[in-house]
Amino acid sequence: MARLSGVSVATVSRVFNGYSDVHPATRERVLAAAGELDYAPSAAARTLVGRRSQLVGVVLFTGYEHPDIEHPFFQDVLVGLKHGIGELGYDLLLFATEQPGAYLRRARHHRVDGIVLWGVDRADPELPKLLEARIPTVAVDLELVGPRATWVSSDSVGGARLAVRHLYSLGHTRIATITGLVGTKPGGERLEGYRHEMESIGLATPQAYEQPGDFYAESGAAAMRALLALPEPPTAVFAASDEMAIGAIRAAAAAEVRVPDGISIVGFDDSRVAALLSPPLTTVRQDRTGLGIAAAQALAVAIEQPDEAPAPNVLPVELVVRGSSARRP
């Protein structure tokens, strides 16, 4: 490379590490030689010289029973993150684990420039260590605030309120919910939104109408079976995820309760299968790919501007009305 371009090895290094004191003509010669040789600079070498690895660590807690990486939500966010971070010149390094903790040690070992966290418990003792270390960090669906840390999420409270308001507009007054994990930001906020909207329109919320779930189909089916067994079952259900709504639809069919004639169901996510169900699922659409892109953009600011903490970003949601919800007979 140096011989072909007629410059020193040091000059080649300065070109690829972005130094501004290289003459434009010299820079063009080096880049032309690189193109001719199909040369790409070593990432390890750039880390040593520029103190940047151009790597972003993605910490994903994959859970004990359900591997979160298989959930459609996580897949779509990861796609958005990959596109967003790739456009900014970074590569992803996935830290998928069934055991929480040790995020800081992994980040330092791999010399990542920043971290994206999701699926992580808010009580994880590793989180304060990350904040104290001042490693640029963005959390998805977890409120994490620090000198170089921020978070992104969807408007779960507003989305739940949209779902309840839609069902009420169809004449339903016995509206139940299947919650997500209420210890998580999405699960807790969707339950909060359900309760707030039910209260605002003057509807009762019996404790039995709040059935627990974990965002997966099996819990949705179990919750629907419990709701249908009540002395006064609901006529409509808001499920805090499409996966749970799918489970609820299957359980209703097994009990010979038709959707939406016998019970209306609304989900949350607008996953890729929502429109393919029979009946197609009414749901609250969140921009899952957009969440990943927003996380990437926020992390880039935290990395490139160490004195500026990016503001949290709550992405809007919208109600998508399909065939699983109908006016009460």
Side-chain angles (χ1 to χ4, degrees):
M1 167 83 63
R3 185 180 301 110
L4 182 61
S5 57
V7 299
S8 68
V9 173
T11 299
V12 171
S13 175
R14 297 181 75 79
V15 167
F16 282 107
N17 286 285
Y19 285 85
S20 60
D21 59 351
V22 180
H23 192 279
T26 302
R27 185 183 306 277
E28 289 182 13
R29 280 206 318 276
V30 172
L31 294 177
E36 186 175 337
L37 295 173
D38 194 23
Y39 169 79
S42 164
R46 285 188 301 181
T47 299
L48 291 173
V49 176
R51 299 186 182 277
R52 290 274 179 83
S53 64
Q54 299 301 118
L55 281 176
V56 166
V58 180
V59 176
L60 173 58
F61 175 56
T62 58
Y64 299 107
E65 296 180 1
H66 296 291
D68 289 339
I69 200 168
E70 293 183 2
H71 195 287
F73 170 78
F74 289 89
Q75 293 176 14
D76 291 341
V77 174
L78 189 59
V79 167
L81 182 61
K82 178 177 71 73
H83 289 325
I85 214 71
E87 289 179 358
L88 297 170
Y90 294 88
D91 294 318
L92 294 181
L93 185 61
L94 182 62
F95 301 146
T97 177
E98 294 183 0
Q99 299 298 325
Y103 312 138
L104 180 57
R105 178 181 58 79
R106 293 184 182 193
R108 286 173 168 165
H109 176 74
H110 293 281
R111 299 179 180 270
V112 298
D113 294 332
I115 293 176
V116 175
L117 292 174
W118 91 82
V120 176
D121 193 288
R122 68 182 64 179
D124 190 326
E126 191 80 2
L127 297 182
K129 298 178 185 177
L130 276 179
L131 296 178
E132 185 178 347
R134 299 178 64 89
I135 294 176
T137 303
V138 175
V140 178
D141 284 337
L142 172 69
E143 293 188 11
L144 189 69
V145 178
R148 302 189 73 182
T150 190
W151 53 272
V152 299
S153 70
S154 296
D155 182 7
S156 286
V157 173
R161 300 191 75 155
L162 283 175
V164 173
R165 199 176 310 146
H166 166 68
L167 292 168
Y168 181 68
S169 74
L170 296 174
H172 297 280
T173 56
R174 300 203 308 270
I175 304 171
T177 186
I178 303 172
T179 74
L181 295 168
V182 295
T184 67
K185 180 177 174 62
E189 290 187 347
R190 290 169 201 177
L191 177 58
E192 176 188 348
Y194 163 81
R195 288 174 172 172
H196 283 179
E197 191 62 25
M198 292 288 282
E199 181 180 1
S200 71
I201 58 184
L203 296 181
T205 54
Q207 185 174 356
Y209 274 20
E210 295 180 0
Q211 288 293 320
D214 63 4
F215 295 116
Y216 287 86
E218 295 88 343
S219 68
M224 179 59 85
R225 288 191 291 268
L227 290 170
L228 293 177
L230 293 174
E232 191 174 39
T235 62
V237 174
F238 162 56
S241 76
D242 285 357
E243 285 278 306
M244 293 192 300
I246 291 170
I249 290 173
R250 291 173 179 168
E256 299 184 347
V257 176
R258 292 177 59 85
V259 176
D261 300 334
I263 192 165
S264 288
I265 297 177
V266 177
F268 199 114
D269 282 332
D270 196 25
S271 60
R272 281 168 274 184
V273 301
L276 305 177
L277 297 173
S278 181
L281 182 63
T282 296
T283 186
V284 177
R285 174 184 293 157
Q286 62 172 330
D287 186 356
R288 301 178 304 280
T289 303
L291 275 175
I293 293 172
Q297 293 171 341
L299 189 61
V301 171
I303 293 171
E304 303 291 343
Q305 302 176 32
D307 296 326
E308 179 177 342
N313 189 358
V314 179
L315 276 63
V317 298
E318 62 177 311
L319 181 71
V320 180
V321 179
R322 299 193 180 102
S324 68
S325 59
R327 184 165 295 277
R328 184 182 177 188

